[in-house]
Amino acid sequence: MIDLLVVALAFGAIFVVELPDKTFIATLVMSTKMRPLFVWIGVALAFLVQTGVAVGLGKAASFLPEQLIHTVAALMFVIGAIILFREARSADADESDQEEEYAAKATAQGFRVIVTSFLVLFAAEWGDLSQLLTISLVAKYDDPFSVFLGAWGALLAVSGLAVIVGRLLLQRVRLSVLHYVGATVCVLMAALTVWEMTR
């Protein structure tokens, strides 16, 4: 049975954390250099595998004592907030360097676009904040399918935005602002987790 609240929580948390992430920039740059639809398919497949791995690890962690799971989940959200706050200061300056890095990798055609996009995002996403948060959400709510739907849906939405309106979005909203929003959401998720532990 799908828990829509868990789906929505996972979607919201992962969406705002992933929006200012390097994977957004990578998808944006590759979609300007190669066929956008093929880029999105490759990215979506990479996110599918990465989310599946995170959900599997989260499910394994759910067998630990509940108090420990909630404590680790809260800690992960706090760490996520700290990382995003720290990265926000240099995010705008680092954006052009990231664009150049991913532009150098974007030279494929046809089916190779899908493979290239998959490999670039697959490598970039290991140990990423969104993957760690997915593990925490699965361990916390013990609802792998709902978290998977929310997390993968958020990653698909973010990569879709990058492909369709990424350049326009970055012209209107500074990358540092997106980092601060993501950090705020992590703080709220940590507070919610602590509240659930103490009630």
Side-chain angles (χ1 to χ4, degrees):
M1 181 102 179
I2 297 172
D3 186 332
L4 293 179
L5 180 59
V6 174
V7 172
L9 274 171
F11 183 95
I14 301 301
F15 185 87
V16 295
V17 165
E18 194 66 23
L19 200 55
D21 194 66
K22 62 188 176 295
T23 52
F24 180 87
I25 301 292
T27 305
L28 184 153
V29 171
M30 287 189 297
S31 67
T32 61
K33 307 288 183 188
M34 301 183 285
R35 290 271 309 270
L37 177 61
F38 290 173
V39 168
W40 187 76
I41 290 170
V43 167
L45 291 172
F47 282 143
L48 175 71
V49 175
Q50 293 284 10
T51 305
V53 169
V55 166
L57 292 172
K59 182 60 182 169
S62 70
F63 294 110
L64 297 171
E66 187 175 341
Q67 190 71 16
L68 177 63
I69 290 168
H70 279 64
T71 302
V72 170
L75 187 61
M76 292 302 296
F77 288 126
V78 169
I79 291 170
I82 292 168
I83 290 170
L84 287 168
F85 273 125
R86 288 184 66 207
E87 288 180 351
R89 288 180 276 175
S90 61
D92 298 323
D94 292 345
E95 181 186 339
S96 60
D97 292 341
Q98 288 178 341
E99 286 190 21
E100 288 174 16
E101 176 189 341
Y102 293 118
K105 298 177 182 176
T107 57
Q109 299 292 323
F111 179 71
R112 290 186 345 159
V113 172
I114 295 174
V115 174
T116 300
S117 302
F118 177 91
L119 293 174
V120 168
L121 265 291
F122 190 76
E125 198 61 12
W126 278 110
D128 196 46
L129 184 55
S130 61
Q131 193 177 38
L132 297 175
L133 292 182
T134 301
I135 293 169
S136 297
L137 288 167
V138 172
K140 179 179 170 186
Y141 292 109
D142 196 19
D143 190 349
F145 191 65
S146 297
V147 172
F148 176 85
L149 286 179
W152 192 45
L155 293 168
L156 291 177
V158 169
S159 58
L161 275 174
V163 167
I164 297 168
V165 293
R167 184 67 59 196
L168 182 63
L169 180 65
L170 289 180
Q171 287 172 354
R172 301 274 189 267
V173 182
R174 293 170 58 105
L175 206 54
S176 57
V177 171
L178 296 176
H179 275 78
Y180 288 126
V181 170
T184 303
V185 169
C186 282
V187 168
L188 292 174
M189 292 295 289
L192 175 65
T193 303
V194 171
W195 177 76
E196 287 176 344
M197 286 168 57
T198 56
R199 67 181 175 141

